[in-house]
Amino acid sequence: MRPSLRPFAHLLLALSCGTSCIATATAADITIYRCTDASGALTLQNAPCPKGMKQEARTMPGVNTVPMAPGQAGTAAPPATAPTVPAPATTPIPDVVTPSAAPSPDTRRLPPPVMFQCTTYDKGRYVTEDPEPASRCVALQTVGLDGNPQSGAGQACEVVRDICARVPDGALCEAWQKRRDETEVAFRFARPENAEKNRADYERVARIVAESSCGL
């Protein structure tokens, strides 16, 4: 088994004296202990072996020490240092000027088309895109020749036009949203024969609201 040796640099170093040496000194003898344990592991040390280990002692002469030449005493080589890398020059970062945000597509939307609010003869109200007031025939009461309303045999009506006015610009979106809701109800509760027509009308009005400034 290969022995494990403890470091004894001061025991194994031999210095040779050159012309720069001034004098030499003889060190005291040193005793080396050779210790072997039960498993055969070998240890060399400068102190007696622990109990239970086989011990062999050997005395060795001390190593001569040589004084340093004048001017070298107490002078140790400076430790090697890593070269200093200059820090990269920093350039001041100019203030960042945030450009004015480009107008979003929403800000360029146009207002919806004009809308009209109409009032019927019986004070009902509705909104419409048609600038021409609607007309309706209001039934008239008929009487007999004797003036008795019960004996009237004919029917008559009076044509009455609704009264319409342009919706102010500030109320256009509200009017169009009301029109959209009305067409949606007409579409969802339409008779089968009117379903497609009412659906197309609702989708058209809903698109106008969504694509105009009312859809913001």
Side-chain angles (χ1 to χ4, degrees):
M1 180 175 296
R2 185 177 181 180
S4 59
L5 301 180
R6 297 185 180 180
F8 298 108
H10 61 286
L11 302 179
L12 304 179
L13 176 65
L15 300 178
S16 59
C17 180
T19 57
S20 61
C21 296
I22 298 177
T24 62
T26 302
D29 293 344
I30 298 175
T31 301
I32 301 300
Y33 296 90
R34 188 172 185 269
C35 307
T36 306
D37 62 12
S39 63
L42 177 63
T43 303
L44 297 180
Q45 58 189 47
N46 61 350
C49 301
K51 292 183 179 181
M53 298 183 69
K54 181 180 179 181
Q55 175 177 298
E56 296 180 17
R58 179 175 299 180
T59 301
M60 298 178 60
V63 179
N64 294 333
T65 59
V66 181
M68 292 186 178
Q72 295 182 353
T75 303
T81 58
T84 303
V85 179
T90 58
T91 304
I93 300 175
D95 293 336
V96 178
V97 179
T98 303
S100 58
S104 63
D106 288 342
T107 60
R108 296 194 295 267
R109 292 186 180 184
L110 298 177
V114 295
M115 182 76 74
F116 299 89
Q117 180 170 311
C118 301
T119 304
T120 64
Y121 76 97
D122 56 354
K123 306 305 180 183
R125 292 188 176 185
Y126 63 94
V127 291
T128 179
E129 303 169 55
D130 191 355
E132 186 69 22
S135 60
R136 64 195 71 235
C137 190
V138 180
L140 297 175
Q141 186 178 17
T142 60
V143 297
L145 294 177
D146 57 357
N148 185 357
Q150 301 297 330
S151 60
Q155 293 181 349
C157 66
E158 178 184 6
V159 177
V160 178
R161 289 188 175 274
D162 298 338
I163 301 174
C164 299
R166 187 179 184 276
V167 175
D169 292 342
L172 268 179
C173 286
E174 182 180 356
W176 274 100
Q177 290 165 357
K178 179 180 179 181
R179 176 64 177 157
R180 178 196 58 196
D181 296 343
E182 290 174 350
T183 55
E184 183 178 9
V185 171
F187 151 59
R188 297 192 182 280
F189 297 94
R191 294 176 179 272
E193 60 271 19
N194 298 328
E196 288 302 321
K197 174 181 176 299
N198 290 3
R199 178 191 183 95
D201 192 28
Y202 161 68
E203 291 178 348
R204 179 186 62 83
V205 175
R207 189 179 304 111
I208 291 174
V209 174
E211 295 178 358
S212 69
S213 57
C214 300
L216 296 176

